[in-house]
């Protein structure tokens, strides 16, 4: 009888501890399966990067933000001046202008969209869904496509219109 009570007590205590630790987990909002891989150049040093944006996909002030598990890296799709619509966007050419950029923790640079396509498949009062196939980096000259930093970014997202901290 005492052994059974002990097991129940230990199981209850373990459950309470696990539930208490849930507050420390990153907040999940929206969904994304987006990968960024490539080379970034910061302070004259080239670094290989591989980032998975799957922590949070949300809309903040009209922009879609995809955040990595650490919460320190963010991939941003800036809202077009015409507003979001179900359509294909191509940069640098292709109708309404859609820009994007990548911020990486520990690197004091933003890497802008150099070329790519964005397909928005759903826009409503609750969410924005889409796919991206981008190259981000720093152009080495005006009108050229060569970069000192090059990051290929591909994936899908379902961004909700609420961003959690």
């Amino acid at each position: 009888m005492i052994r059974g009570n002990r097991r129940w007590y230990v199981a209850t205590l373990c459950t309470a501890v696990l539930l208490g630790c849930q507050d420390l987990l990153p907040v999940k909002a929206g969904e994304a399966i987006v990968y960024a891989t490539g080379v970034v150049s910061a302070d004259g040093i080239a670094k290989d990067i591989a980032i998975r944006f799957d922590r949070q996909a949300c809309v903040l002030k009209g922009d879609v933000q995809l955040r990595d598990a650490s919460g320190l890296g963010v991939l941003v799709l800036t809202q077009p001046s015409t507003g979001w619509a179900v359509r294909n966007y191509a940069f640098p050419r292709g109708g309404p202008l859609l820009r994007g950029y990548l911020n990486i923790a520990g690197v004091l640079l933003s890497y802008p969209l150099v070329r790519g396509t964005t397909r928005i498949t759903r826009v409503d009062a609750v969410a924005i869904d889409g796919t991206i196939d981008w190259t981000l980096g720093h152009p080495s000259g005006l009108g050229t496509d060569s970069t000192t930093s090059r990051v290929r970014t591909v994936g899908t997202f379902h961004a909700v219109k609420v961003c959690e901290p």
Side-chain angles (χ1 to χ4, degrees):
M1 183 72 150
I2 293 173
R3 181 177 269 177
N5 286 341
R6 219 181 270 163
R7 285 184 186 161
W8 177 85
Y9 177 75
V10 170
T12 303
L13 181 62
C14 289
T15 302
V17 168
L18 288 174
L19 291 175
C21 291
Q22 297 297 315
D23 292 340
L24 302 175
L25 294 175
V27 175
K28 187 85 167 168
E31 297 175 349
I33 303 171
V34 176
Y35 297 93
T37 59
V39 177
V40 296
S41 180
D43 300 325
I45 300 170
K47 298 178 183 180
D48 290 329
I49 65 161
I51 304 172
R52 184 175 69 205
F53 296 96
D54 63 356
R55 173 183 171 210
Q56 193 176 74
C58 62
V59 181
L60 183 63
K61 296 180 183 175
D63 297 341
V64 172
Q65 293 196 358
L66 309 177
R67 298 178 185 162
D68 71 353
S70 71
L72 301 175
V74 63
L75 182 71
V76 178
L77 292 74
T78 59
Q79 182 178 17
S81 59
T82 57
W84 290 108
V86 174
R87 62 168 292 140
N88 289 334
Y89 297 88
F91 183 79
R93 294 179 228 88
L97 188 60
L98 176 65
R99 294 185 183 272
Y101 60 90
L102 169 66
N103 283 340
I104 305 170
V107 178
L108 301 176
L109 298 170
S110 287
Y111 296 96
L113 177 61
V114 175
R115 71 171 181 266
T117 57
T118 305
R119 183 169 189 240
I120 301 298
T121 57
R122 178 181 119 178
V123 177
D124 59 29
V126 177
I128 298 174
D129 295 353
T131 62
I132 58 175
D133 185 351
W134 288 0
T135 299
L136 299 113
H138 281 135
S140 58
L142 294 175
T144 67
D145 196 24
S146 61
T147 57
T148 56
S149 299
R150 181 181 298 259
V151 180
R152 177 78 190 273
T153 307
V154 296
T156 62
F157 62 88
H158 167 76
V160 296
K161 299 219 176 165
V162 175
C163 283
E164 299 289 336

